[in-house]
Structures are given as structure tokens and as C-alpha cells.
Amino acid sequence: MSFNIAIDGPAGAGKSTIAKLAAEKLSFIYVDTGAMYRAIALGLLRSHTDIADEAALNARLAEISVEISYEDGLQQVYLNGENVSGLIRTEEVSDMTSRSSAIAQVRAKLTDLQRDLAAKENVLMDGRDIGTTILPNAQLKIYLTASVQVRALRRYKEYLAKGQKEQTLAEVEKDVESRDYRDMHRDVSPLCQAEDAVYLDSSEMTIEQVVDRIVDLARERM
Ligand code: DC
């Protein structure tokens, strides 16, 4: 039987960086489910689909296929056969992802893909509803978070590093808050801590400390 680790938490908690490193140490496959939602969002943006129009949304979703593969250990995500991994990290896609991932039909499209991967392999899967909905029997569940201020500052520094100076720190903080609100208050699979998840607040921890904690917890249970 495969060993599954679920990591959930809000945007900017460092999930993907930490999950990638922990997966490497454990020789597990890292599954970034956010990338799958982002690929769907890109497909919806490209076709100018009005996601509030249920018929239009369903018709478009029926045409969209999402697949993932691994190249040199890195997850690649495909939208209808096209590798879109380099196109899904823009603000526009992030915003559409946050809105479209709240819709049941969008989530239903990815449930089987995520469960099938976890059934076949030892995975460390990160997302928002992995421990609560996708893999309720995961052997280890982590809820990874950090304060709004710390997460906003991390994102702000990323923007500055990329030469993007359109937003002030206060504006980034507001964005983080509103995305949290949306992720936590949607009707379908809202972000919340699974009862049996280990709570980790990374605000005052280094990346290495968080990775080591997760790896230790996994080894204790394997
Ligand atoms: O983890 P991320 O920033 O790539 O996620 C992008 C968006 O997708 C975010 O708004 C939450 C949503 N998401 C989700 O609803 N369920 C998941 N399992 C993963 C991401």
C-alpha cells in the first residue's frame, strides 16, 4: 500500500517549497494540486468563459483535459496536451484559479486524478482539501500556515525580486486576506484543518526546520 502525506494550508505558507524538499528527502512523489487548478483556470481564461454561466462553464470543462507528468523529478502540468507549467503563475491566473476552484464541477474534474496518483505511489500532495476530502485516509496530514503579515511579506519580496513594483506591502496584505477568505469560506471543500492533521505555523521557523519536522513525522509513521 502506498504511503500518503497530505499538506494543506493557505497561500504563501511555503507549502510548495517545503513539500518539494520533504518529498525529495523521503523519495516520495510531490503532487502540486494547485497547478492542476491553475491549468483549468488558464483554459477558462483563454476561452473567455463566463464562469457564472453554468451551461457555458460545463461545456468548456467538457473540452478541458488536465494531465501531469514528471521530468527530472519536477511536476509538469498539461492542458489539452500542451505543457503549461510556465504559464500558470501570473496574477491573472491566480485570481481566476481562486474563483474557479470554488466551483463543484471544477473540483470534481480533478478528484479522480489526484486519488489515482496517491493510490499508486508514495505521494506528498499539497493543496487545500487533501487531508479533508481527497485523501481522508492519508497516513500523515499537515496543516501548514503562517501569519498574514509573514505571508504577505514573503509575496511582496517575491514581487520585488521579479521587478514588479505595482503593489504596496499593504495592498499585498489585503490580497492575501481576501484570498484566504475565499479559500476558507467557499461552500465546496473549503480550506480547513483536518481533525487529525498536525498544525505547523511556519512564521517563526526556517524552511529547513519545517521540512525536517515533516520528514521526522513521516518516518515515525512509516
Ligand atoms: O496552491 P496554489 O497557490 O497554487 O493554489 C492556487 C489556487 O487554487 C488557490 O486559490 C486555492 C486553489 N486550490 C484549491 O482550491 N484546492 C487545491 N487542492 C489546490 C489549490
Side-chain angles (χ1 to χ4, degrees):
M1 205 174 95
S2 59
F3 191 98
N4 294 163
I5 303 174
I7 302 192
D8 294 298
K15 284 195 309 294
S16 60
T17 308
I18 286 160
K20 227 178 271 169
L21 291 168
E24 221 173 272
K25 284 201 172 178
L26 291 162
S27 302
F28 275 33
I29 289 183
Y30 165 54
V31 183
D32 170 6
T33 62
M36 301 175 185
Y37 285 98
R38 287 172 179 274
I40 291 187
L42 179 66
L44 295 171
L45 280 170
R46 280 180 171 174
S47 54
H48 306 286
T49 304
D50 173 5
I51 62 170
D53 177 344
E54 203 177 331
L57 175 69
N58 288 340
R60 182 65 187 126
L61 283 178
E63 295 166 357
I64 288 179
S65 74
V66 173
E67 280 156 24
I68 64 164
S69 74
Y70 288 85
E71 284 168 27
D72 299 326
L74 290 181
Q75 177 180 301
Q76 306 292 318
V77 62
Y78 292 81
L79 171 65
N80 293 83
E82 175 192 351
N83 187 337
V84 295
S85 310
L87 306 174
I88 54 174
R89 307 276 162 202
T90 65
E91 264 312 289
E92 192 191 17
V93 172
S94 295
D95 186 65
M96 178 53 122
T97 310
S98 173
R99 292 187 292 120
S100 55
S101 63
I103 301 172
Q105 298 96 298
V106 171
R107 304 201 72 81
K109 218 175 150 70
L110 295 176
T111 304
D112 287 347
L113 175 61
Q114 293 168 2
R115 286 189 179 147
D116 287 350
L117 281 162
K120 280 195 242 134
E121 314 264 4
N122 290 344
V123 296
L124 194 160
M125 189 175 283
D126 89 9
R128 301 295 187 286
D129 64 339
I130 309 304
T132 52
T133 307
I134 302 293
L135 306 177
N137 297 320
Q139 289 88 338
L140 174 61
K141 298 178 186 177
I142 305 283
Y143 189 81
L144 181 63
T145 188
S147 70
V148 170
Q149 290 75 17
V150 166
R151 289 186 286 126
L153 188 61
R154 286 177 188 163
R155 173 162 299 167
Y156 182 66
K157 284 184 182 162
E158 277 169 23
Y159 288 155
L160 291 186
K162 284 191 210 157
Q164 297 172 356
K165 298 190 179 112
E166 294 83 22
Q167 280 188 310
T168 64
L169 179 59
E171 284 167 344
V172 175
E173 221 174 279
K174 266 190 111 170
D175 257 22
V176 168
E177 273 178 345
S178 62
R179 203 157 294 164
D180 279 2
Y181 188 87
R182 255 195 318 229
D183 286 350
M184 291 175 186
H185 291 85
R186 63 188 181 207
D187 293 335
V188 195
S189 284
L191 168 65
C192 72
Q193 184 183 348
E195 262 179 32
D196 50 351
V198 177
Y199 181 88
L200 283 181
D201 184 328
S202 72
S203 306
E204 309 282 330
M205 289 170 87
T206 64
I207 289 172
E208 292 71 31
Q209 286 172 330
V210 183
V211 170
D212 288 346
R213 179 94 178 95
I214 294 171
V215 169
D216 287 348
L217 284 166
R219 292 203 171 125
E220 276 168 22
R221 297 180 189 201
M222 275 161 77

PDB file of all heavy atoms in Angstrom, residues 8 11-12 15 32-35 37-38 89 94 97-99 101-102 107 114 126-130 134 155 179 183 186 189, ligand 1:
ATOM      1  N   ASP A   8      -1.995  20.684   3.668  1.00  0.00           N
ATOM      2  CA  ASP A   8      -2.941  21.743   3.309  1.00  0.00           C
ATOM      3  C   ASP A   8      -2.577  23.020   4.049  1.00  0.00           C
ATOM      4  O   ASP A   8      -1.889  22.985   5.065  1.00  0.00           O
ATOM      5  CB  ASP A   8      -4.371  21.313   3.690  1.00  0.00           C
ATOM      6  CG  ASP A   8      -4.840  20.127   2.876  1.00  0.00           C
ATOM      7  OD1 ASP A   8      -4.921  20.267   1.642  1.00  0.00           O
ATOM      8  OD2 ASP A   8      -5.100  19.061   3.459  1.00  0.00           O
ATOM      9  N   ALA A  11      -2.463  30.125   0.985  1.00  0.00           N
ATOM     10  CA  ALA A  11      -1.447  30.561   0.047  1.00  0.00           C
ATOM     11  C   ALA A  11      -0.323  31.282   0.780  1.00  0.00           C
ATOM     12  O   ALA A  11      -0.575  32.033   1.724  1.00  0.00           O
ATOM     13  CB  ALA A  11      -2.071  31.491  -0.990  1.00  0.00           C
ATOM     14  N   GLY A  12       0.907  31.020   0.371  1.00  0.00           N
ATOM     15  CA  GLY A  12       2.043  31.761   0.919  1.00  0.00           C
ATOM     16  C   GLY A  12       2.610  31.181   2.199  1.00  0.00           C
ATOM     17  O   GLY A  12       3.515  31.753   2.791  1.00  0.00           O
ATOM     18  N   LYS A  15       4.056  26.097   1.376  1.00  0.00           N
ATOM     19  CA  LYS A  15       3.729  24.684   1.133  1.00  0.00           C
ATOM     20  C   LYS A  15       4.544  24.055   0.003  1.00  0.00           C
ATOM     21  O   LYS A  15       5.111  22.993   0.178  1.00  0.00           O
ATOM     22  CB  LYS A  15       2.243  24.520   0.771  1.00  0.00           C
ATOM     23  CG  LYS A  15       1.298  24.621   1.946  1.00  0.00           C
ATOM     24  CD  LYS A  15      -0.085  24.097   1.587  1.00  0.00           C
ATOM     25  CE  LYS A  15      -0.658  24.696   0.325  1.00  0.00           C
ATOM     26  NZ  LYS A  15      -0.947  26.134   0.413  1.00  0.00           N
ATOM     27  N   ASP A  32       1.611  18.682  -6.781  1.00  0.00           N
ATOM     28  CA  ASP A  32       1.157  20.055  -6.571  1.00  0.00           C
ATOM     29  C   ASP A  32      -0.238  20.183  -7.188  1.00  0.00           C
ATOM     30  O   ASP A  32      -0.371  20.332  -8.402  1.00  0.00           O
ATOM     31  CB  ASP A  32       2.176  20.975  -7.261  1.00  0.00           C
ATOM     32  CG  ASP A  32       1.717  22.421  -7.347  1.00  0.00           C
ATOM     33  OD1 ASP A  32       0.665  22.760  -6.791  1.00  0.00           O
ATOM     34  OD2 ASP A  32       2.441  23.210  -7.987  1.00  0.00           O
ATOM     35  N   THR A  33      -1.265  20.099  -6.344  1.00  0.00           N
ATOM     36  CA  THR A  33      -2.628  20.121  -6.903  1.00  0.00           C
ATOM     37  C   THR A  33      -3.039  21.529  -7.337  1.00  0.00           C
ATOM     38  O   THR A  33      -3.887  21.688  -8.201  1.00  0.00           O
ATOM     39  CB  THR A  33      -3.670  19.579  -5.899  1.00  0.00           C
ATOM     40  OG1 THR A  33      -3.675  20.418  -4.738  1.00  0.00           O
ATOM     41  CG2 THR A  33      -3.371  18.144  -5.516  1.00  0.00           C
ATOM     42  N   GLY A  34      -2.413  22.550  -6.734  1.00  0.00           N
ATOM     43  CA  GLY A  34      -2.712  23.925  -7.147  1.00  0.00           C
ATOM     44  C   GLY A  34      -2.439  24.116  -8.643  1.00  0.00           C
ATOM     45  O   GLY A  34      -3.180  24.805  -9.334  1.00  0.00           O
ATOM     46  N   ALA A  35      -1.362  23.462  -9.120  1.00  0.00           N
ATOM     47  CA  ALA A  35      -1.010  23.593 -10.539  1.00  0.00           C
ATOM     48  C   ALA A  35      -2.125  23.044 -11.436  1.00  0.00           C
ATOM     49  O   ALA A  35      -2.366  23.553 -12.532  1.00  0.00           O
ATOM     50  CB  ALA A  35       0.307  22.869 -10.817  1.00  0.00           C
ATOM     51  N   TYR A  37      -5.396  23.047 -10.698  1.00  0.00           N
ATOM     52  CA  TYR A  37      -6.465  24.055 -10.705  1.00  0.00           C
ATOM     53  C   TYR A  37      -6.060  25.251 -11.558  1.00  0.00           C
ATOM     54  O   TYR A  37      -6.886  25.864 -12.232  1.00  0.00           O
ATOM     55  CB  TYR A  37      -6.809  24.500  -9.277  1.00  0.00           C
ATOM     56  CG  TYR A  37      -7.609  23.458  -8.546  1.00  0.00           C
ATOM     57  CD1 TYR A  37      -7.013  22.568  -7.675  1.00  0.00           C
ATOM     58  CD2 TYR A  37      -8.979  23.340  -8.784  1.00  0.00           C
ATOM     59  CE1 TYR A  37      -7.738  21.582  -7.039  1.00  0.00           C
ATOM     60  CE2 TYR A  37      -9.720  22.360  -8.147  1.00  0.00           C
ATOM     61  CZ  TYR A  37      -9.088  21.480  -7.272  1.00  0.00           C
ATOM     62  OH  TYR A  37      -9.821  20.507  -6.659  1.00  0.00           O
ATOM     63  N   ARG A  38      -4.783  25.581 -11.510  1.00  0.00           N
ATOM     64  CA  ARG A  38      -4.294  26.712 -12.310  1.00  0.00           C
ATOM     65  C   ARG A  38      -4.415  26.403 -13.802  1.00  0.00           C
ATOM     66  O   ARG A  38      -4.729  27.279 -14.602  1.00  0.00           O
ATOM     67  CB  ARG A  38      -2.842  27.027 -11.929  1.00  0.00           C
ATOM     68  CG  ARG A  38      -2.708  27.687 -10.566  1.00  0.00           C
ATOM     69  CD  ARG A  38      -1.243  27.799 -10.124  1.00  0.00           C
ATOM     70  NE  ARG A  38      -1.149  28.444  -8.827  1.00  0.00           N
ATOM     71  CZ  ARG A  38      -1.104  29.764  -8.650  1.00  0.00           C
ATOM     72  NH1 ARG A  38      -1.089  30.580  -9.693  1.00  0.00           N
ATOM     73  NH2 ARG A  38      -1.055  30.272  -7.436  1.00  0.00           N
ATOM     74  N   ARG A  89       1.551  30.899 -13.353  1.00  0.00           N
ATOM     75  CA  ARG A  89       1.889  31.603 -12.103  1.00  0.00           C
ATOM     76  C   ARG A  89       1.650  33.106 -12.183  1.00  0.00           C
ATOM     77  O   ARG A  89       2.214  33.854 -11.397  1.00  0.00           O
ATOM     78  CB  ARG A  89       3.356  31.352 -11.715  1.00  0.00           C
ATOM     79  CG  ARG A  89       3.732  29.887 -11.659  1.00  0.00           C
ATOM     80  CD  ARG A  89       3.388  29.237 -10.326  1.00  0.00           C
ATOM     81  NE  ARG A  89       3.364  27.789 -10.453  1.00  0.00           N
ATOM     82  CZ  ARG A  89       2.714  26.979  -9.636  1.00  0.00           C
ATOM     83  NH1 ARG A  89       2.044  27.452  -8.613  1.00  0.00           N
ATOM     84  NH2 ARG A  89       2.711  25.683  -9.839  1.00  0.00           N
ATOM     85  N   SER A  94      -3.811  33.343 -11.095  1.00  0.00           N
ATOM     86  CA  SER A  94      -4.040  33.125  -9.655  1.00  0.00           C
ATOM     87  C   SER A  94      -5.453  33.563  -9.271  1.00  0.00           C
ATOM     88  O   SER A  94      -6.157  32.875  -8.526  1.00  0.00           O
ATOM     89  CB  SER A  94      -3.052  33.924  -8.806  1.00  0.00           C
ATOM     90  OG  SER A  94      -1.751  33.463  -9.007  1.00  0.00           O
ATOM     91  N   THR A  97      -7.994  31.216 -10.709  1.00  0.00           N
ATOM     92  CA  THR A  97      -7.932  29.923 -10.007  1.00  0.00           C
ATOM     93  C   THR A  97      -8.681  30.001  -8.687  1.00  0.00           C
ATOM     94  O   THR A  97      -9.441  29.090  -8.333  1.00  0.00           O
ATOM     95  CB  THR A  97      -6.470  29.509  -9.739  1.00  0.00           C
ATOM     96  OG1 THR A  97      -5.717  29.623 -10.936  1.00  0.00           O
ATOM     97  CG2 THR A  97      -6.398  28.088  -9.234  1.00  0.00           C
ATOM     98  N   SER A  98      -8.478  31.098  -7.979  1.00  0.00           N
ATOM     99  CA  SER A  98      -9.138  31.243  -6.696  1.00  0.00           C
ATOM    100  C   SER A  98     -10.665  31.240  -6.880  1.00  0.00           C
ATOM    101  O   SER A  98     -11.392  30.663  -6.076  1.00  0.00           O
ATOM    102  CB  SER A  98      -8.660  32.538  -6.038  1.00  0.00           C
ATOM    103  OG  SER A  98      -9.381  32.792  -4.871  1.00  0.00           O
ATOM    104  N   ARG A  99     -11.128  31.844  -7.968  1.00  0.00           N
ATOM    105  CA  ARG A  99     -12.586  31.892  -8.190  1.00  0.00           C
ATOM    106  C   ARG A  99     -13.119  30.563  -8.749  1.00  0.00           C
ATOM    107  O   ARG A  99     -14.119  30.028  -8.275  1.00  0.00           O
ATOM    108  CB  ARG A  99     -12.938  33.055  -9.125  1.00  0.00           C
ATOM    109  CG  ARG A  99     -12.685  34.394  -8.427  1.00  0.00           C
ATOM    110  CD  ARG A  99     -13.162  35.597  -9.206  1.00  0.00           C
ATOM    111  NE  ARG A  99     -12.379  35.812 -10.405  1.00  0.00           N
ATOM    112  CZ  ARG A  99     -12.874  35.817 -11.634  1.00  0.00           C
ATOM    113  NH1 ARG A  99     -14.155  35.625 -11.830  1.00  0.00           N
ATOM    114  NH2 ARG A  99     -12.100  36.041 -12.670  1.00  0.00           N
ATOM    115  N   SER A 101     -11.818  27.545  -8.596  1.00  0.00           N
ATOM    116  CA  SER A 101     -11.649  26.359  -7.755  1.00  0.00           C
ATOM    117  C   SER A 101     -12.740  26.261  -6.690  1.00  0.00           C
ATOM    118  O   SER A 101     -12.847  25.253  -5.995  1.00  0.00           O
ATOM    119  CB  SER A 101     -10.262  26.348  -7.101  1.00  0.00           C
ATOM    120  OG  SER A 101     -10.115  27.460  -6.238  1.00  0.00           O
ATOM    121  N   ALA A 102     -13.552  27.297  -6.568  1.00  0.00           N
ATOM    122  CA  ALA A 102     -14.675  27.247  -5.617  1.00  0.00           C
ATOM    123  C   ALA A 102     -15.894  26.526  -6.214  1.00  0.00           C
ATOM    124  O   ALA A 102     -16.878  26.294  -5.517  1.00  0.00           O
ATOM    125  CB  ALA A 102     -15.060  28.669  -5.221  1.00  0.00           C
ATOM    126  N   ARG A 107     -13.841  21.174  -9.239  1.00  0.00           N
ATOM    127  CA  ARG A 107     -13.161  20.293  -8.282  1.00  0.00           C
ATOM    128  C   ARG A 107     -13.373  18.824  -8.653  1.00  0.00           C
ATOM    129  O   ARG A 107     -12.454  18.018  -8.556  1.00  0.00           O
ATOM    130  CB  ARG A 107     -13.661  20.563  -6.853  1.00  0.00           C
ATOM    131  CG  ARG A 107     -13.507  22.020  -6.420  1.00  0.00           C
ATOM    132  CD  ARG A 107     -13.521  22.190  -4.917  1.00  0.00           C
ATOM    133  NE  ARG A 107     -12.302  21.693  -4.316  1.00  0.00           N
ATOM    134  CZ  ARG A 107     -11.162  22.372  -4.273  1.00  0.00           C
ATOM    135  NH1 ARG A 107     -11.081  23.577  -4.767  1.00  0.00           N
ATOM    136  NH2 ARG A 107     -10.096  21.832  -3.715  1.00  0.00           N
ATOM    137  N   GLN A 114      -6.259  13.051  -8.733  1.00  0.00           N
ATOM    138  CA  GLN A 114      -5.473  13.158  -7.500  1.00  0.00           C
ATOM    139  C   GLN A 114      -5.504  11.849  -6.706  1.00  0.00           C
ATOM    140  O   GLN A 114      -4.473  11.364  -6.227  1.00  0.00           O
ATOM    141  CB  GLN A 114      -5.990  14.328  -6.652  1.00  0.00           C
ATOM    142  CG  GLN A 114      -5.732  15.673  -7.342  1.00  0.00           C
ATOM    143  CD  GLN A 114      -6.470  16.853  -6.723  1.00  0.00           C
ATOM    144  OE1 GLN A 114      -7.172  16.713  -5.731  1.00  0.00           O
ATOM    145  NE2 GLN A 114      -6.327  18.018  -7.327  1.00  0.00           N
ATOM    146  N   ASP A 126       0.121  18.462  -1.980  1.00  0.00           N
ATOM    147  CA  ASP A 126      -0.269  19.697  -1.301  1.00  0.00           C
ATOM    148  C   ASP A 126      -1.436  20.376  -1.988  1.00  0.00           C
ATOM    149  O   ASP A 126      -1.654  20.206  -3.185  1.00  0.00           O
ATOM    150  CB  ASP A 126       0.937  20.628  -1.066  1.00  0.00           C
ATOM    151  CG  ASP A 126       1.239  21.601  -2.185  1.00  0.00           C
ATOM    152  OD1 ASP A 126       0.449  21.718  -3.117  1.00  0.00           O
ATOM    153  OD2 ASP A 126       2.273  22.278  -2.100  1.00  0.00           O
ATOM    154  N   GLY A 127      -2.255  21.044  -1.159  1.00  0.00           N
ATOM    155  CA  GLY A 127      -3.442  21.698  -1.695  1.00  0.00           C
ATOM    156  C   GLY A 127      -4.227  22.377  -0.594  1.00  0.00           C
ATOM    157  O   GLY A 127      -3.642  22.995   0.308  1.00  0.00           O
ATOM    158  N   ARG A 128      -5.544  22.293  -0.680  1.00  0.00           N
ATOM    159  CA  ARG A 128      -6.400  22.929   0.311  1.00  0.00           C
ATOM    160  C   ARG A 128      -7.336  21.936   1.002  1.00  0.00           C
ATOM    161  O   ARG A 128      -7.733  22.144   2.148  1.00  0.00           O
ATOM    162  CB  ARG A 128      -7.271  24.010  -0.351  1.00  0.00           C
ATOM    163  CG  ARG A 128      -6.503  25.123  -1.052  1.00  0.00           C
ATOM    164  CD  ARG A 128      -5.696  25.957  -0.070  1.00  0.00           C
ATOM    165  NE  ARG A 128      -5.090  27.133  -0.710  1.00  0.00           N
ATOM    166  CZ  ARG A 128      -4.049  27.108  -1.525  1.00  0.00           C
ATOM    167  NH1 ARG A 128      -3.453  25.954  -1.808  1.00  0.00           N
ATOM    168  NH2 ARG A 128      -3.572  28.210  -2.053  1.00  0.00           N
ATOM    169  N   ASP A 129      -7.673  20.869   0.283  1.00  0.00           N
ATOM    170  CA  ASP A 129      -8.659  19.908   0.795  1.00  0.00           C
ATOM    171  C   ASP A 129      -8.130  18.484   0.706  1.00  0.00           C
ATOM    172  O   ASP A 129      -8.890  17.536   0.600  1.00  0.00           O
ATOM    173  CB  ASP A 129      -9.951  20.000  -0.024  1.00  0.00           C
ATOM    174  CG  ASP A 129      -9.736  19.608  -1.485  1.00  0.00           C
ATOM    175  OD1 ASP A 129      -8.572  19.666  -1.948  1.00  0.00           O
ATOM    176  OD2 ASP A 129     -10.708  19.225  -2.153  1.00  0.00           O
ATOM    177  N   ILE A 130      -6.810  18.336   0.735  1.00  0.00           N
ATOM    178  CA  ILE A 130      -6.244  16.991   0.537  1.00  0.00           C
ATOM    179  C   ILE A 130      -6.534  16.117   1.768  1.00  0.00           C
ATOM    180  O   ILE A 130      -7.050  15.008   1.644  1.00  0.00           O
ATOM    181  CB  ILE A 130      -4.718  17.066   0.253  1.00  0.00           C
ATOM    182  CG1 ILE A 130      -4.439  18.064  -0.882  1.00  0.00           C
ATOM    183  CG2 ILE A 130      -4.167  15.679  -0.088  1.00  0.00           C
ATOM    184  CD1 ILE A 130      -5.164  17.806  -2.173  1.00  0.00           C
ATOM    185  N   ILE A 134      -9.803  14.783  -0.280  1.00  0.00           N
ATOM    186  CA  ILE A 134      -9.206  13.937  -1.330  1.00  0.00           C
ATOM    187  C   ILE A 134      -8.620  12.649  -0.741  1.00  0.00           C
ATOM    188  O   ILE A 134      -8.894  11.554  -1.217  1.00  0.00           O
ATOM    189  CB  ILE A 134      -8.119  14.716  -2.121  1.00  0.00           C
ATOM    190  CG1 ILE A 134      -8.725  15.973  -2.754  1.00  0.00           C
ATOM    191  CG2 ILE A 134      -7.445  13.840  -3.168  1.00  0.00           C
ATOM    192  CD1 ILE A 134      -9.731  15.715  -3.850  1.00  0.00           C
ATOM    193  N   ARG A 155       5.448  37.276  -0.141  1.00  0.00           N
ATOM    194  CA  ARG A 155       4.971  37.508  -1.513  1.00  0.00           C
ATOM    195  C   ARG A 155       5.489  38.843  -2.047  1.00  0.00           C
ATOM    196  O   ARG A 155       5.897  38.939  -3.195  1.00  0.00           O
ATOM    197  CB  ARG A 155       3.444  37.474  -1.551  1.00  0.00           C
ATOM    198  CG  ARG A 155       2.911  37.877  -2.905  1.00  0.00           C
ATOM    199  CD  ARG A 155       1.501  37.456  -3.139  1.00  0.00           C
ATOM    200  NE  ARG A 155       1.353  36.007  -3.077  1.00  0.00           N
ATOM    201  CZ  ARG A 155       0.185  35.389  -3.007  1.00  0.00           C
ATOM    202  NH1 ARG A 155      -0.922  36.091  -2.972  1.00  0.00           N
ATOM    203  NH2 ARG A 155       0.106  34.094  -2.983  1.00  0.00           N
ATOM    204  N   ARG A 179      -7.890  36.441  -0.415  1.00  0.00           N
ATOM    205  CA  ARG A 179      -7.772  35.084  -0.970  1.00  0.00           C
ATOM    206  C   ARG A 179      -8.011  34.042   0.132  1.00  0.00           C
ATOM    207  O   ARG A 179      -8.665  33.032  -0.107  1.00  0.00           O
ATOM    208  CB  ARG A 179      -6.404  34.903  -1.634  1.00  0.00           C
ATOM    209  CG  ARG A 179      -6.415  33.808  -2.662  1.00  0.00           C
ATOM    210  CD  ARG A 179      -5.316  33.941  -3.703  1.00  0.00           C
ATOM    211  NE  ARG A 179      -5.469  35.112  -4.549  1.00  0.00           N
ATOM    212  CZ  ARG A 179      -4.488  35.611  -5.317  1.00  0.00           C
ATOM    213  NH1 ARG A 179      -3.320  35.039  -5.321  1.00  0.00           N
ATOM    214  NH2 ARG A 179      -4.711  36.656  -6.077  1.00  0.00           N
ATOM    215  N   ASP A 183     -10.835  31.140   0.026  1.00  0.00           N
ATOM    216  CA  ASP A 183     -10.481  29.715   0.143  1.00  0.00           C
ATOM    217  C   ASP A 183     -11.173  29.064   1.353  1.00  0.00           C
ATOM    218  O   ASP A 183     -11.538  27.902   1.321  1.00  0.00           O
ATOM    219  CB  ASP A 183      -8.953  29.537   0.283  1.00  0.00           C
ATOM    220  CG  ASP A 183      -8.203  29.772  -1.032  1.00  0.00           C
ATOM    221  OD1 ASP A 183      -8.856  29.884  -2.085  1.00  0.00           O
ATOM    222  OD2 ASP A 183      -6.959  29.841  -0.997  1.00  0.00           O
ATOM    223  N   ARG A 186     -15.641  29.145   0.962  1.00  0.00           N
ATOM    224  CA  ARG A 186     -16.433  28.628  -0.156  1.00  0.00           C
ATOM    225  C   ARG A 186     -17.264  27.433   0.330  1.00  0.00           C
ATOM    226  O   ARG A 186     -16.904  26.778   1.321  1.00  0.00           O
ATOM    227  CB  ARG A 186     -15.515  28.244  -1.316  1.00  0.00           C
ATOM    228  CG  ARG A 186     -14.558  27.133  -0.977  1.00  0.00           C
ATOM    229  CD  ARG A 186     -13.554  26.923  -2.094  1.00  0.00           C
ATOM    230  NE  ARG A 186     -12.655  25.845  -1.760  1.00  0.00           N
ATOM    231  CZ  ARG A 186     -11.414  25.735  -2.221  1.00  0.00           C
ATOM    232  NH1 ARG A 186     -10.926  26.628  -3.051  1.00  0.00           N
ATOM    233  NH2 ARG A 186     -10.671  24.709  -1.875  1.00  0.00           N
ATOM    234  N   SER A 189     -15.609  22.104  -0.417  1.00  0.00           N
ATOM    235  CA  SER A 189     -14.237  21.842   0.034  1.00  0.00           C
ATOM    236  C   SER A 189     -13.474  23.081   0.496  1.00  0.00           C
ATOM    237  O   SER A 189     -12.406  23.403  -0.024  1.00  0.00           O
ATOM    238  CB  SER A 189     -13.423  21.181  -1.102  1.00  0.00           C
ATOM    239  OG  SER A 189     -13.766  19.859  -1.242  1.00  0.00           O
TER     240      SER A 189
HETATM  241  O1   DC B   1      -1.517  26.417  -4.062  1.00  0.00           O
HETATM  242  P1   DC B   1      -1.775  27.433  -5.159  1.00  0.00           P
HETATM  243  O2   DC B   1      -1.477  28.852  -4.757  1.00  0.00           O
HETATM  244  O3   DC B   1      -1.118  27.053  -6.450  1.00  0.00           O
HETATM  245  O4   DC B   1      -3.369  27.376  -5.393  1.00  0.00           O
HETATM  246  C1   DC B   1      -3.978  28.201  -6.338  1.00  0.00           C
HETATM  247  C2   DC B   1      -5.460  28.297  -6.042  1.00  0.00           C
HETATM  248  O5   DC B   1      -6.087  27.040  -6.207  1.00  0.00           O
HETATM  249  C3   DC B   1      -5.850  28.823  -4.668  1.00  0.00           C
HETATM  250  O6   DC B   1      -6.784  29.874  -4.809  1.00  0.00           O
HETATM  251  C4   DC B   1      -6.529  27.657  -3.991  1.00  0.00           C
HETATM  252  C5   DC B   1      -6.882  26.718  -5.092  1.00  0.00           C
HETATM  253  N1   DC B   1      -6.659  25.320  -4.748  1.00  0.00           N
HETATM  254  C6   DC B   1      -7.727  24.596  -4.296  1.00  0.00           C
HETATM  255  O7   DC B   1      -8.828  25.130  -4.195  1.00  0.00           O
HETATM  256  N2   DC B   1      -7.572  23.274  -3.984  1.00  0.00           N
HETATM  257  C7   DC B   1      -6.381  22.686  -4.082  1.00  0.00           C
HETATM  258  N3   DC B   1      -6.263  21.397  -3.759  1.00  0.00           N
HETATM  259  C8   DC B   1      -5.257  23.422  -4.515  1.00  0.00           C
HETATM  260  C9   DC B   1      -5.429  24.750  -4.838  1.00  0.00           C
END
